[in-house]
Each structure stands twice: as C-alpha cells, then as structure tokens.
Amino acid sequence: MRSIPLGNDDFKDIRDNNGYFVDKSMLIEGIVKSPTTKVFLFTKLRRFGKSLGMSMIDAFFNVRYEGNAWFDDLHVSDCKECSKERNRYPVIFLNMKNLVVNDSVSFKKSMAETMESLYQSYRYLLDSEVLNSDYKEKYRAVTRFDYSKISLERTLLNLSEMLRIHHGMQVIILIDEYDNPIQRTYGTDVQGEVITFMRDFMSPALESNDALKFGVVTGVMQIAKESIFSGLNNLSTNNVLDKKFDECFGFTETEAVSYTHLTLPTTERV
C-alpha cells in the first residue's frame, strides 16, 4: 500500500517515494493548451493543493530535471503537445509563504534573504560564458545583500533575464502564495507599503518581459488588479467559482471517496 504524504507538498519527493498521489497533471495540459495566456493567477482556498500543483509544474517544465520518470503514468503523458515542452525551460520557483512581515523593515529584510537563497540555486550563472560582467555584478550584489547599486524590486526581473541569456530559452516564473505578506499586514499601516512593493517586484517580471515564457501565481486572495497586476492584459484569473481548472485543485467527489478507502477504481489514475 502506498504511503500517504501528509503535509508533503514536494511532488518530486512524493513520486520518488511512491507516495499516494491523486493525478492533477491535467493542470499542466491546460496551461500548455492556453498559449495566448502569459500569466495564470490561481486563487483557491487553503489546503487545496496549490503548492503541490506548483511543485508539479516545476518538475514538468524545469530543464534541470530532464530525464525523470515522474509523469510517465499520469494523465499528462498522453498529451503530445505537452511532451514537446517537458523539461525544456529554466524555471524560477519563488515561495512566499514563510516571509516575515512584522513591519516594513522586517519585510524588506525577509525578501532580501529569500531572493539571496533563490539566487544561490543558480550559482552556475557566475561561470556563464555568455553572461556579461554587468549581470554577474548584479548577481553578486544580491548574494552579498548589497543594494547600493541595484533595487530589490528588480531582482526577479534581473534573474529571469540572466537565465534567458545563459540558456537561450525563455523562462517560466512560479510564485506561490504571493498574497501572504499582504494578508499578514491586513488593516495595518504597513499594508500599503507591502502592496506597492509587490507591484513593483512582480509587474516588471510578468509584464512585457521578453525573457518570460509564462508565469503562474497562486494565492488565497484575489487582490484588485489595479493594486498589483495593473498593466497585465494577458492575465488569466481563476478563482474558486471558475469551472476551468476546477478539477485541478482539491478533490472531486470520486477522488475523496477513493482517498478515504485508500483504493482507487481501476479506471482512475493516481
């Protein structure tokens, strides 16, 4: 019997350890078959599998995982269009759920630490033969917490440009729980500053960015478009009331019954 990965939202780990997984890979197919959409915003309830879904998207598209067998028996393996995109792109996966947001100072510090950690996972860029010295200095500035010559708000955009130049491919940007810092400052004087920062941080990377293949953003709340996503004319918003992608998050009735009995009908895939 497969183990139940309680509290584990790492798709790769679940598949490597033969964990119990309800197939939600139709999410990937839906994204691939929406080529005119540049940015997907999914706002769903907590515990609906948003982070696991983002981990799955990362595992499917990320070039660093080329050659894996994680999807071989899942729904997406039957999608011919999807197979052409599998493990083809550099991916930036930014998770914002653990940001410290006590005040504007702690928020900026936490963001700087988060971006430093993210940049560290691409240290090979410092050895890139096609990346110029200016970009490498921007990279070093982030890892040294030196924001005297660059702005924290531009770090996501800069990283996407570096990866595109190095790999010669457009970049996929995944931002999980983008609204977490906004929720944590709700009703306080800090919230306005946080919203302004998030707009200046996300918009350059997701709007008119030649390095961007597509972006996926998840959260619980749908912040007014004018606050953060202004200018994103190719933004597809999907909330709890939308029918498109509705089976890609949470459990359907059939899946819930199957999960309860730890047995799936032979016609279902897990």
Side-chain angles (χ1 to χ4, degrees):
M1 184 179 294
R2 295 186 178 185
S3 61
I4 301 175
L6 296 175
N8 187 352
D9 57 13
D10 186 337
F11 173 83
K12 303 181 296 298
D13 182 68
I14 292 172
R15 297 295 282 171
D16 280 339
N17 291 287
N18 198 33
Y20 194 88
F21 176 73
V22 177
D23 189 353
K24 297 293 179 179
S25 63
M26 64 284 291
L27 173 62
I28 296 169
E29 181 179 11
I31 291 173
V32 171
K33 292 185 176 180
S34 303
T36 59
T37 300
K38 202 71 171 179
V39 181
F40 299 85
L41 171 62
F42 295 107
T43 56
K44 306 293 181 180
L45 300 175
R46 295 190 182 280
R47 308 304 179 190
F48 258 49
K50 297 186 298 296
S51 295
L52 178 57
M54 293 288 264
S55 178
M56 178 182 66
I57 294 171
D58 175 42
F60 186 86
F61 289 102
N62 201 325
V63 66
R64 70 173 61 182
Y65 303 129
E66 186 177 8
N68 69 78
W70 298 320
F71 297 90
D72 290 355
D73 60 342
L74 299 183
H75 172 90
V76 73
S77 64
D78 294 329
C79 173
K80 294 182 179 179
E81 295 175 60
C82 302
S83 63
K84 299 176 183 178
E85 303 295 295
R86 185 170 175 178
N87 300 121
R88 184 182 176 190
Y89 302 95
V91 176
I92 299 173
F93 188 2
L94 176 62
N95 193 326
M96 307 189 76
K97 68 181 178 181
N98 293 321
L99 286 176
V100 177
V101 197
N102 296 323
D103 49 47
S104 58
V105 174
S106 66
F107 171 63
K108 291 288 185 68
K109 179 181 178 181
S110 187
M111 276 300 306
E113 292 172 346
T114 298
M115 293 309 296
E116 186 273 339
S117 178
L118 181 64
Y119 267 57
Q120 289 289 2
S121 61
Y122 302 98
R123 288 197 65 83
Y124 61 83
L125 290 174
L126 290 174
D127 299 320
S128 175
E129 297 180 356
V130 294
L131 209 60
N132 65 36
S133 58
D134 289 340
Y135 272 120
K136 291 182 179 180
E137 278 306 306
K138 290 179 180 179
Y139 181 99
R140 292 189 184 94
V142 175
T143 58
R144 295 170 180 169
F145 299 98
D146 179 7
Y147 288 99
S148 59
K149 297 181 180 180
I150 64 169
S151 66
L152 180 58
E153 289 88 343
R154 304 285 290 185
T155 51
L156 183 59
L157 173 65
N158 291 342
L159 182 57
S160 69
E161 291 175 341
M162 290 183 227
L163 288 171
R164 181 190 62 80
I165 293 170
H166 176 78
H167 290 277
M169 296 289 292
Q170 286 183 304
V171 178
I172 294 171
I173 297 178
L174 309 177
I175 304 177
D176 197 20
E177 300 202 33
Y178 85 100
D179 58 337
N180 175 55
I182 300 170
Q183 289 188 66
R184 293 194 177 200
T185 55
Y186 180 77
T188 70
D189 295 336
V190 182
Q191 187 178 36
E193 295 181 46
V194 171
I195 290 177
T196 299
F197 176 89
M198 292 300 296
R199 181 192 63 220
D200 296 342
F201 175 76
M202 294 174 61
S203 291
L206 299 177
E207 174 192 347
S208 301
N209 179 7
D210 292 337
L212 181 68
K213 175 65 178 177
F214 67 82
V216 182
V217 182
T218 70
V220 176
M221 300 188 303
Q222 185 175 324
I223 310 300
K225 183 177 180 180
E226 292 74 16
S227 298
I228 292 182
F229 301 106
S230 58
L232 266 67
N233 297 323
N234 50 7
L235 172 70
S236 174
T237 301
N238 186 279
N239 58 39
V240 293
L241 300 178
D242 288 308
K243 292 184 177 180
K244 186 176 181 180
F245 296 107
D246 63 346
E247 294 187 354
C248 298
F249 298 92
F251 290 137
T252 64
E253 182 178 357
T254 301
E255 290 166 348
V257 171
S258 300
Y259 181 85
T260 301
H261 291 85
L262 298 181
T263 304
L264 285 179
T266 56
T267 56
E268 297 270 341
R269 287 179 171 175
V270 292

